[in-house]
Amino acid sequence: MKELTKKMNLKEHLLTAISYMIPIVCGAGFIIAIGMALGGKAQDALVIGNFNFWQALATMGGKALGMLPVIISTGIAFSIAGKPGIAPGFVTGLAANTIGAGFIGGIVGGYIAGLFAVLIMQHVKVPNWAKGLMPTLIIPFLASLLSGLIMIYIIGTPVAWFTGWLTDLLKGLGSTSNLIFGAAIGVLSIVDFGGPINKTVFAFVLTLQAQGINGPVTALQLVNTATPIGFGLAFLIAKMLKKNIYTQEEVETLKSAVPMGVVNIVEGSIPIVMNDLVRGIVAAAIGGMCGGATTLVLGADATVPFGGFLMLPTMSQPLAGLASLLVNIFVTGLVYAIIKKDVKVEKANGNVEEDISLDDLEIN
């Protein structure tokens, strides 16, 4: 029982599964974003001779993203039970996708599939000649059968109802509520720079996008896009304020962090933040709050969950997305440039020179 309790660490398994899922989201997101940005449209099926290259990209990316409930279910079950959990997780996630239980159904199904796989491993005894069949046949078959049927006949209906209720609730939010909701998503998206909080929020907003609510995931991704660029803008604003807020090493880091931000990779800015953790998080959080609120209030609604600036052409209101990015970038840059202290400047000979202000000079 202790081993089972240890294996059912819900948060750990969810975060592990999301870490497996993110590369798929990134790859598929870029594919569909490029396809849609250049005029492609996702097709129900690619019939030979009846589609162009951009439609092929949009369709490939769209079909991959449509499998996210299956992917998250498989990842959770694998995290719980190892290889024997892969097949039950896949089958149960596919069942959740089929009956409309969506991303939440995939998450719940992954836990159920992984639990059954572990229980079968621990309690089903077979003759010695059949032990080799346990991980490849007996466990996948029994766990897939049980968890899949539970998803279809027991779990799927209430999960689908809850997802529908949450969807209706969020669609009915007014401007003030969207302002608060967007600000909350913006802050939570960025405070740990791609860590557990970000991943948990990512799972939540993907659930909403699966139900046709694109604003929250757009807010999260635009905040991730804008933050590294905001730290780059802080360099220019600080120069205008006669401040030197970055070391030479940090300036070199910015040269890669800013382009990474353009394509929605926030991790490039982590070395910058780690050198002044509190001020970096404060600036990013305030910028994210403003950017997230602007996204939901203006109605920026990318149909893809990744892509950085490539998300803009997939929106019904691209200018709203651009405005959200600019607000976030400017606020992050301005706040960091103001609150960040001056740093020591290295001379060409390697010695360190303290920054000197006019107040430090004595006039004879």
Side-chain angles (χ1 to χ4, degrees), residues 29-360:
F30 269 124
I31 291 173
I32 189 175
I34 293 172
M36 295 184 69
L38 296 174
K41 186 177 180 181
Q43 309 292 307
D44 290 334
L46 293 178
V47 180
I48 299 299
N50 291 338
F51 63 90
N52 60 38
F53 181 73
W54 308 121
Q55 288 173 332
L57 293 185
T59 303
M60 283 194 300
K63 294 297 184 184
L65 294 177
M67 293 289 287
L68 289 183
V70 183
I71 296 165
I72 195 73
S73 178
T74 306
I76 291 173
F78 172 72
S79 179
I80 294 172
K83 289 183 179 179
I86 293 177
F90 184 88
V91 171
T92 309
L94 203 58
N97 220 15
T98 303
I99 64 176
F103 199 77
I104 295 178
I107 293 174
V108 175
Y111 289 120
I112 294 173
L115 173 61
F116 272 116
V118 170
L119 289 174
I120 293 169
M121 279 190 286
Q122 291 180 348
H123 298 291
V124 173
K125 306 301 179 182
V126 297
N128 289 333
W129 62 265
K131 286 184 178 180
L133 299 176
M134 283 289 287
T136 57
L137 174 60
I138 298 173
I139 296 173
F141 167 67
L142 293 177
S144 298
L145 180 65
L146 293 171
S147 57
L149 290 176
I150 287 175
M151 174 57 64
I152 293 173
Y153 289 107
I154 300 176
I155 300 297
T157 299
V159 168
W161 176 86
F162 172 77
T163 303
W165 171 81
L166 181 62
T167 301
D168 293 338
L169 175 67
L170 295 175
K171 284 183 177 179
L173 292 179
S175 297
T176 303
S177 299
N178 272 321
L179 179 73
I180 297 172
F181 185 40
I185 289 177
V187 171
L188 295 174
S189 297
I190 199 60
V191 288
D192 63 349
F193 292 82
I197 298 175
N198 174 277
K199 288 181 172 64
T200 302
V201 177
F202 187 42
F204 174 66
V205 297
L206 280 177
T207 297
L208 301 181
Q209 187 175 48
Q211 305 306 311
I213 302 178
N214 296 322
V217 73
T218 304
L220 180 144
Q221 298 298 357
L222 291 184
V223 169
N224 287 342
T225 299
T227 299
I229 304 174
F231 283 121
L233 179 63
F235 174 81
L236 301 178
I237 295 177
K239 291 299 181 184
M240 295 172 60
L241 298 175
K242 308 299 183 183
K243 294 180 66 178
N244 184 64
I245 64 172
Y246 291 124
T247 64
Q248 186 58 41
E249 182 180 355
E250 288 174 326
V251 172
E252 293 300 317
T253 299
L254 284 174
K255 292 179 182 179
S256 59
V258 172
M260 289 170 69
V262 171
V263 292
N264 203 356
I265 301 174
V266 72
E267 285 79 5
S269 59
I270 290 178
I272 300 290
V273 177
M274 292 303 296
N275 288 339
D276 195 338
L277 190 60
V278 174
R279 293 181 179 86
I281 291 177
V282 168
I286 294 175
M289 177 180 67
C290 296
T294 304
T295 300
L296 262 66
V297 170
L298 295 183
D301 58 348
T303 56
V304 298
F306 193 82
F309 275 84
L310 287 174
M311 297 170 67
L312 297 179
T314 74
M315 300 180 187
S316 60
Q317 302 181 73
L319 291 179
L322 182 60
S324 302
L325 278 171
L326 294 177
V327 166
N328 198 335
I329 292 168
F330 177 75
V331 172
T332 301
L334 180 63
V335 171
Y336 197 61
I338 291 174
I339 67 176
K340 183 73 166 64
K341 292 184 177 180
D342 281 351
V343 300
K344 297 176 181 179
V345 181
E346 289 188 3
K347 292 181 178 180
N349 60 8
N351 295 328
V352 175
E353 177 184 11
E354 295 279 0
D355 282 346
I356 302 175
S357 66
L358 293 177
D359 295 335
D360 297 324

